[in-house]
Amino acid sequence: MSDPFFHPVSGFDLPRFAGVPSFMRLPHVPLDHPRLSEVQLGLVGVPWDSGTTNRPGPRHGPRQLRDASTMIRAQHGVTGLRPFEMVNCADLGDVGPNPADIPDSMARITAFFDDLRGHGITPLTAGGDHLTSLPVLRALAKDAPLGMVHFDSHTDLFHSYFGGTMYTHGTPFRRAVEEGLLDPARVVQIGIRGTAYDSEDRDFARSVGIRVIPIEEFHARGTADVMAEARQIVGDAPTYVSYDIDFVDPAFAPGTGTPEVGGPNSHQALEVVRALHGLNIAGADLVEVSPPFDPGGGTAFLGVSIMFELLCVMAPAIAGAGPAAS
Amino acid sequence: MSDPFFHPVSGFDLPRFAGVPSFMRLPHVPLDHPRLSEVQLGLVGVPWDSGTTNRPGPRHGPRQLRDASTMIRAQHGVTGLRPFEMVNCADLGDVGPNPADIPDSMARITAFFDDLRGHGITPLTAGGDHLTSLPVLRALAKDAPLGMVHFDSHTDLFHSYFGGTMYTHGTPFRRAVEEGLLDPARVVQIGIRGTAYDSEDRDFARSVGIRVIPIEEFHARGTADVMAEARQIVGDAPTYVSYDIDFVDPAFAPGTGTPEVGGPNSHQALEVVRALHGLNIAGADLVEVSPPFDPGGGTAFLGVSIMFELLCVMAPAIAGAGPAAS
Amino acid sequence: MSDPFFHPVSGFDLPRFAGVPSFMRLPHVPLDHPRLSEVQLGLVGVPWDSGTTNRPGPRHGPRQLRDASTMIRAQHGVTGLRPFEMVNCADLGDVGPNPADIPDSMARITAFFDDLRGHGITPLTAGGDHLTSLPVLRALAKDAPLGMVHFDSHTDLFHSYFGGTMYTHGTPFRRAVEEGLLDPARVVQIGIRGTAYDSEDRDFARSVGIRVIPIEEFHARGTADVMAEARQIVGDAPTYVSYDIDFVDPAFAPGTGTPEVGGPNSHQALEVVRALHGLNIAGADLVEVSPPFDPGGGTAFLGVSIMFELLCVMAPAIAGAGPAAS
Amino acid sequence: MSDPFFHPVSGFDLPRFAGVPSFMRLPHVPLDHPRLSEVQLGLVGVPWDSGTTNRPGPRHGPRQLRDASTMIRAQHGVTGLRPFEMVNCADLGDVGPNPADIPDSMARITAFFDDLRGHGITPLTAGGDHLTSLPVLRALAKDAPLGMVHFDSHTDLFHSYFGGTMYTHGTPFRRAVEEGLLDPARVVQIGIRGTAYDSEDRDFARSVGIRVIPIEEFHARGTADVMAEARQIVGDAPTYVSYDIDFVDPAFAPGTGTPEVGGPNSHQALEVVRALHGLNIAGADLVEVSPPFDPGGGTAFLGVSIMFELLCVMAPAIAGAGPAAS
Amino acid sequence: MSDPFFHPVSGFDLPRFAGVPSFMRLPHVPLDHPRLSEVQLGLVGVPWDSGTTNRPGPRHGPRQLRDASTMIRAQHGVTGLRPFEMVNCADLGDVGPNPADIPDSMARITAFFDDLRGHGITPLTAGGDHLTSLPVLRALAKDAPLGMVHFDSHTDLFHSYFGGTMYTHGTPFRRAVEEGLLDPARVVQIGIRGTAYDSEDRDFARSVGIRVIPIEEFHARGTADVMAEARQIVGDAPTYVSYDIDFVDPAFAPGTGTPEVGGPNSHQALEVVRALHGLNIAGADLVEVSPPFDPGGGTAFLGVSIMFELLCVMAPAIAGAGPAAS
Amino acid sequence: MSDPFFHPVSGFDLPRFAGVPSFMRLPHVPLDHPRLSEVQLGLVGVPWDSGTTNRPGPRHGPRQLRDASTMIRAQHGVTGLRPFEMVNCADLGDVGPNPADIPDSMARITAFFDDLRGHGITPLTAGGDHLTSLPVLRALAKDAPLGMVHFDSHTDLFHSYFGGTMYTHGTPFRRAVEEGLLDPARVVQIGIRGTAYDSEDRDFARSVGIRVIPIEEFHARGTADVMAEARQIVGDAPTYVSYDIDFVDPAFAPGTGTPEVGGPNSHQALEVVRALHGLNIAGADLVEVSPPFDPGGGTAFLGVSIMFELLCVMAPAIAGAGPAAS
């Protein structure tokens, strides 16, 4: 049972439009907060988009996601689960990037997540573009490579862009495999679609044993079947979940920089997360929400709905694993 | 056969962008109009959102719905039905609420619908937020409780908000059951989803016998099966239809105050109404269209498309019941 | 194998947001360009909406489509096809219409496509409202009537508007049949829906043998079954493909003048095109994209995604037919 | 003193967001209304933009202007004038144009205003693009040429477009002079600016004696001085006032098709109208409000604020001239 | 010299798009914070719009203002003043209103500001609609009536709306005078304009001695002259400053519910505040920022720029009056 | 007299909404074009925003500016100047930056402008964020430092950001002075305003002799007086003109990343450029137009209106200097 200090403010008490907006209306517990070590599941913003090759904007994602998250309530609509009562959750604030220096930003992000790891906090990250996942994995996979369930319309496995640039939002998982942060045999990428430059990324996937499930296969087989295979691929060992909002069709998630049409709807967008229950999740992220391309904010609301689903599969496992460090 | 006075203006004669916009381009017949008593099916606006607990805006709904309704033509695309030729339809104008006084507004709304009832006019109402349904039911269910088919992502069955406030758009049907306006055994709520404060509303539903069909069940069983059950629940007795636009997924209906992702698409949004044919419909409403959250106006167009479907299931029954009072 | 001059610029070399935007980042080859006669498949803009009866805007379509098309890459995501390597493709620029004179504009359009025909170039046209198809067909079907696969929510088969006006975007295919440009027995219209003025258009279709597949039938039978029938109807003879973006549900394609809810999603929007592979396509168009009703531009991106699918079914057939005139 | 039937609905009685929107919340009195002949000043919509050479949209102007006009109250803020109590005002509805036929539309418009003239009603017209003024003048200046005060950033005096097209929104006043509808010696054009094709229009103005006051002169001399000259030019004889919303700087009026920067602000936009008090105004129009280019609607609100100013200079003169025909 | 704990975060250290957004990036010090009593100048949000008679939205104002305020830096651009170094400033969070109960909300607001007063904190409030000022004044003027400098396009002095409703955003200062919270002889209202219902409000102003400066006079005399008179009217005694964003022309501040054209520009909007230096300011508010009517957020940025100007005239006086209670 | 090949397409011939959009509808002459060496004045896009410290977007500027520039015609409205007939102008396309590598991008930009310089082409650049000016100056000022007239609300003279980052859009002119590209005694910065981090930038300006004219001084003295001083400061020697769109008030130019309220209006925005006639302009830029923050595009249209004014002061000087290299 979690400590009431870590419970979100209810809309029955304070209207949802009121108050300084933190993720899910949880207490804001920055790294220097006296109760940091009690946190078990930490929501973190990484406002950063320096790896973006086309339309920037995800640096503004965490703020819009916090705003939209004030519409999330305490109890899961289908399962009745109340995650905030199971583990101590908190908004740990944002990692401060250097928007004009990619290596400096990556070092800052890794340091932040190293710190969380030192406190035994499982992170749920709100990006930021997809390059964000790389410095996060450098912290989380320091000791051993992780498996990964990756929802996206792109593989993000390219070698380089623009004549040799190695760090963009199209390359993070190529780097992560090269650096030994991911175990390719335990990586599955779901929803891949859209036009392609060429097959270099998929050739790499094949060569290292990453399983790619294109959208055509996803639509043909259905959520349940695909997710059963995904669970089998990652198994019981520690697994990272990386969710690019462009996995979802742009009618449901227009606010992103590299949309691809023909994707899943919002119901499927939630179902695939719910199917991860019971996995050993070492951390998760939701990336590529780009407010400038969605003034209505629907993408951000879908984004936090997905984050709540992630939280609902992460919290029981953490709760089962015993209390946080104190 | 209806009187030509009550036929809508055709886009073949006057372009759809021209003319003072009334609902469906029908004649504007306010309560003091000499031909009021000939109206059989009256379209009414209730521009009101004082019951809104988060994002206001539905007070602007009726005007945007009227504007969008100029794109509706005379004949149903699937069934070929021409409802305006079956019964005398008219735009009865708006109820004038008091935006700074909830009890006063409710009294004004009930009085308006009492008046319609006195003229034997079946109302099709464009809200306004969902609290609108309560004062409408106070007029329509004066003699006997009604059944209800309720499309929504929320039950609107909560006891109170903000420390005891009894009248909000989250409580109308709790009040309606308490006031004997609805027969809970003949109420079905379809599409319920999203995060929840707690289970107090569903516990109440269970305790009085209201049938709640969550979205997961809706998606699993399909429209036909769910609607067959709904028809059975309400039976042949007089029934109210209340349609909250947030029943539909926010990709199709972003213009609403409390969206919940993972809902039906626009095709299902129409199908569920078409499945109501032949029921004994005492009145219907379409609520929670909020223009400020949808500048494109797609939500309003979906809203009037749903209103036309409602009209197409209401008109044959009214026509079968004989001529209007005169 | 196509000439490298006709290959699109890659986003790996020049970022997608850079450069003067041509269709698919292909070379701009206007009619007076020295290499025009080498072009096999020409992308043409017809910025024109004088036939629009309600909300204008498609005159701005080609420019927004060019802009969005910079996000299309060289290789098909599902089939791996690389159409730009199969045939010489180019952006042939826009036909210059006379926005205040319909007959003059039609003559200019027909003259432009006559010219293309003289060079043996197969056109893929970006409209423009649907009246565009008529002057295009006057050029392409000069010798013999064509078959047509027509995706739309409207039949565009009406006789006239506004008391006898014969040329609007609701009449092009009535005129085309009357003028002998289409063989009605080889015409199929898919996705028809929405409210109707009356049945005059469908009565005409029936009387001349045009096959209309309403959306209810489309949803009930599924893409594969419907498209198999469509292929049978048009057979192996030369066929035109006309794709009105309002075929797709407005949640996926809000930027259009006459939306109708309840349509296909974006995945189906692509699938139906892919099912045309191997047909003898004499030309194709994508019409009714209207930027003023979609500031986000999602409709245009879906539009160019459809154009790329069209290109991928057209290119292999053209490549198989041998080299372009030179 | 006007008849109370012709008074607008007050926002103290019915909230401004409620009710079917007519111009200024006046009674809707179409041409077949029994009390038409009592109207002295008639507000008319001409939803038409077939003369537009670049970005269409003004066909949607009258509807958005009606909506915005619900925010106008009964009394002038500076002068305290209450125009609706001085003369019988009404919303006469829209002229129904033929959007696909320019000559037909012009005939319809002229017929409508002929009718008004027959009833002795002074018209205040809401366009529509600027070609609207020509068919209106054909009715109003049937007997004798009028003077004109013309606010605009363009002269609209060009000979033709697109190789000889004579009727566009860039040519109405050239035609009006040629047709003897305007007395060029009594025409003044104020606010002219922006880049120019060439000097053909200004050369024509000079040749016939039209006075053009460019924006640089307007800014240098100030409103009072410029308007004194304008009053002198038109004198006491019957004068038409034509107000193109693009006279105002696009920061204040973005919703228009051909904006030119560097224009007057909203305070000056009202002042110039107020300076027309006492003139013999035979009719007035406010044109080129284009909703698709201004979702916020600020342009429409400025437009109706200008229309109210026009009404306040027209009403006293009409009232002084005695009662309406009856 | 202020305590560094109360200094805002610099954009040189943490990019402006990062971090949980508090007003001006100040520390969030809610009423139960241990350092509350050290605060001298408190920024407070009142997210409330139940008094709005037309277009709601200001309940969302404080959140958008906080977001926009991350672009405000530490030093005044003209004067070089660094207010955050002069006094301890903090974001005190939002008052939680009851959106469905006006009297309850007013009681909550008054209680909150009573609490601030007990701690000797001078409040700078971000509304909320203009009814907000009434419950704030009930706390601040408990002992003696205040003077007021009021920037607005409306007097907000009406007696009642909708048949006797006494508490709306059009009545707060009528009530405040009646309740003895304002000394009418020391009240000046600047910028009044727009159409009026009637003269009832101005008659009241005259009868009690409130000075109304209409916009025409403002434009004619200029900022310096008008503000000199305003300073004289309020004198040296405690004065409240109430700033309705609709004082500014809607081209500069579109995001508000009741705009009136013809107002001051943004430069004048700041100048009038700067002219208040040295006055004895007991509190101030900035109200009626309504995000739904300004997706671009320019209104909110102007709003926080005005709040910073207010802060810069309030801080020196507070600093001169000695340290905060401790 | 210029060569007709280099004349823009007229809207009388091809409607303004038609055609592949190049700057001002000029011919597209990339660096490998056979007629490059005939170009005298080259319009160049630099789609780049890697130096942006807060809200990105200017990488999309050149494309939106090209689109908006189709509304610019051939002749200056006030002076009657026809610049395209005076010198050979062309759209030279975009410099391709590396969005994930600042030094690489700067090298590419400098190389591009070195190339132009080699051909004797005077550049008019459309950014891009303000860091763009630095690599451009590295090419243009290779031989001798330039003077500069700089319109902006910020000095862009800071030493560094984020703990030592030297290249951001807040530092270009500090670097340019340090690198000897600018002669500080011949630099004037006009319009500086908004809140400041501190005075470090202005202290630097003072120490090296750069003249800063804050907005308060600009408003007090007026355009003519300020520009006379500016002309004196730069004198007759070669001068660069750098125009940040945020010089203009955000009501007129909302589409920019770091707006500051209280700035000049659009009339003044043009006047200040016109006052530069006759100066020895070695190159000019218009930077910081950010489309994601201005969906309406008004900022881009103001931007190209300013570019046309720049062109009109540059062309006569170039024409006077004799023909281009050939």
Side-chain angles (χ1 to χ4, degrees), chain F:
Chain F
M1 190 62 183
S2 65
D3 185 304
F5 173 81
F6 295 104
H7 289 186
V9 177
S10 167
F12 274 170
D13 299 328
L14 184 74
R16 309 203 145 270
F17 49 80
V20 177
S22 59
F23 283 125
M24 313 281 176
R25 310 188 98 195
L26 289 165
H28 180 199
V29 178
L31 293 199
D32 59 358
H33 193 283
R35 302 190 67 170
L36 176 68
S37 61
E38 296 173 64
V39 177
Q40 296 169 283
L41 199 161
L43 289 86
V44 183
V46 183
W48 188 48
D49 55 14
S50 295
T52 299
T53 57
N54 191 355
R55 310 189 306 173
R59 71 175 70 180
H60 301 299
R63 189 170 294 172
Q64 199 192 35
L65 288 162
R66 279 192 179 89
D67 189 353
S69 78
T70 60
M71 297 210 282
I72 298 293
R73 306 177 196 83
Q75 181 172 306
H76 193 284
V78 177
T79 63
L81 201 85
R82 297 178 70 84
F84 304 115
E85 296 180 359
M86 303 178 78
V87 293
N88 290 343
C89 297
D91 180 338
L92 308 184
D94 283 352
V95 184
N98 181 339
D101 190 327
I102 290 178
D104 183 18
S105 295
M106 290 205 290
R108 294 175 187 214
I109 298 167
T110 300
F112 190 104
F113 284 83
D114 274 340
D115 202 348
L116 299 201
R117 202 160 170 260
H119 285 85
I121 301 171
T122 304
L124 172 53
T125 305
D129 72 33
H130 224 147
L131 183 51
T132 299
S133 303
L134 179 62
V136 172
L137 286 170
R138 284 177 178 168
L140 300 189
K142 196 160 269 174
D143 300 334
L146 297 169
M148 179 169 72
V149 181
H150 175 201
F151 303 104
D152 205 331
S153 60
H154 312 94
T155 63
D156 296 352
L157 286 174
F158 281 98
H159 176 269
S160 61
Y161 278 64
F162 311 124
T165 297
M166 307 295 278
Y167 298 101
T168 78
H169 68 159
T171 67
F173 301 120
R174 181 72 160 263
R175 293 297 91 74
V177 170
E178 293 168 355
E179 298 181 15
L181 308 172
L182 292 175
D183 171 2
R186 291 183 51 242
V187 171
V188 57
Q189 300 186 310
I190 303 169
I192 308 306
R193 66 182 183 275
T195 57
Y197 290 116
D198 51 38
S199 302
E200 195 256 348
D201 59 331
R202 299 211 194 179
D203 294 344
F204 173 77
R206 207 171 300 113
S207 75
V208 296
I210 290 174
R211 168 70 165 116
V212 175
I213 301 180
I215 198 66
E216 295 303 306
E217 185 179 342
F218 178 87
H219 284 310
R221 292 171 56 189
T223 303
D225 192 31
V226 163
M227 293 312 299
E229 180 187 352
R231 293 175 65 89
Q232 216 165 21
I233 289 170
V234 298
D236 294 334
T239 296
Y240 192 71
V241 180
S242 189
Y243 200 122
D244 186 321
I245 195 72
D246 71 25
F247 168 70
V248 194
D249 190 88
F252 300 84
T256 196
T258 320
E260 305 291 349
V261 302
N265 63 27
S266 65
H267 180 243
Q268 295 166 315
L270 301 182
E271 268 189 332
V272 294
V273 177
R274 216 171 300 147
L276 302 176
H277 64 88
L279 292 186
N280 182 351
I281 299 178
D285 62 44
L286 184 277
V287 298
E288 297 284 358
V289 171
S290 183
F293 295 94
D294 184 18
T299 308
F301 181 59
L302 178 58
V304 293
S305 298
I306 291 167
M307 286 177 73
F308 184 78
E309 290 284 354
L310 284 165
L311 213 143
C312 285
V313 295
M314 294 165 79
I318 296 169
S326 63

Side-chain angles (χ1 to χ4, degrees), chain A residues 301-313:
Chain A
F301 181 58
L302 178 58
V304 294
S305 297
I306 291 167
M307 287 177 73
F308 184 77
E309 290 283 355
L310 284 165
L311 212 143
C312 284
V313 295

Side-chain angles (χ1 to χ4, degrees), chain A residues 58-116:
Chain A
R59 70 175 71 181
H60 300 299
R63 190 170 291 172
Q64 198 192 36
L65 288 162
R66 279 191 178 90
D67 188 352
S69 78
T70 60
M71 297 210 281
I72 299 293
R73 306 178 195 84
Q75 182 172 306
H76 193 284
V78 177
T79 63
L81 202 86
R82 298 179 69 84
F84 304 115
E85 297 180 359
M86 302 178 78
V87 293
N88 290 343
C89 297
D91 180 338
L92 308 184
D94 282 352
V95 183
N98 181 338
D101 190 325
I102 291 179
D104 183 17
S105 295
M106 289 206 288
R108 293 175 188 213
I109 297 167
T110 300
F112 190 103
F113 284 84
D114 275 340
D115 202 346
L116 298 200

